[in-house]
Amino acid sequence: DVQLVESGGGSVQAGGSLRLSCAASGYTPNSGACMGWFRQAPGKEREGVAAFRGDGKTTYAASVKGRFTVSLDQVNNILDLQMNNLKPEDTGVYYCAAGHPSSLYRALSPSDYTYWGQGTQVTVS
């Protein structure tokens, strides 16, 4: 069974940094597979934040580009999200996901992912 377990959430002031980690078991992304980070704020739809494809390519939402960095430790199967210069609008529950989007363009679409973690809260004030 595939299991994704997030950690690293918390509360931070605007301008601060947090690092999220997602430990994946039972899943190893091949060149076409992706692992990604998504977030959901209260009353809003879940949205893609950043994704890492097995061939090393990454993609980011426009709202986080230049502030967030996604990386994958392919030895230990840990997906990290380094979040810098956090803003109040970054607040939400952050989810790790794994799947096979048809293209990198689709890699921020929640519907293209099969496996999900339980989420970790990020609050920026």
Side-chain angles (χ1 to χ4, degrees), residues 5-6 9 12 23 25-26 28 38-39 43 53-54 67-69 75 90-91 97 102 109 113 120:
V5 180
E6 301 99 334
V12 66
S25 60
T28 302
F38 297 78
R39 67 187 180 192
R53 198 165 67 179
R67 299 187 298 122
F68 291 11
T69 302
V75 173
D90 295 318
T91 294
S102 57
S109 175
Y113 286 77
T120 185

Side-chain angles (χ1 to χ4, degrees), residues 9-53:
S11 297
V12 66
Q13 291 189 335
S17 298
L18 283 174
R19 187 176 185 90
L20 305 183
S21 292
C22 171
S25 60
Y27 185 85
T28 302
N30 57 30
S31 62
C34 284
M35 292 185 68
W37 287 99
F38 297 78
R39 67 187 180 192
Q40 189 164 17
K44 294 189 176 181
E45 292 187 355
R46 192 170 298 188
E47 63 175 356
V49 175
F52 188 105
R53 198 165 67 179

Side-chain angles (χ1 to χ4, degrees), residues 65-76:
K65 196 172 291 186
R67 299 187 298 122
F68 291 11
T69 302
V70 64
S71 59
L72 177 66
D73 177 350
Q74 294 180 310
V75 173
N76 297 301

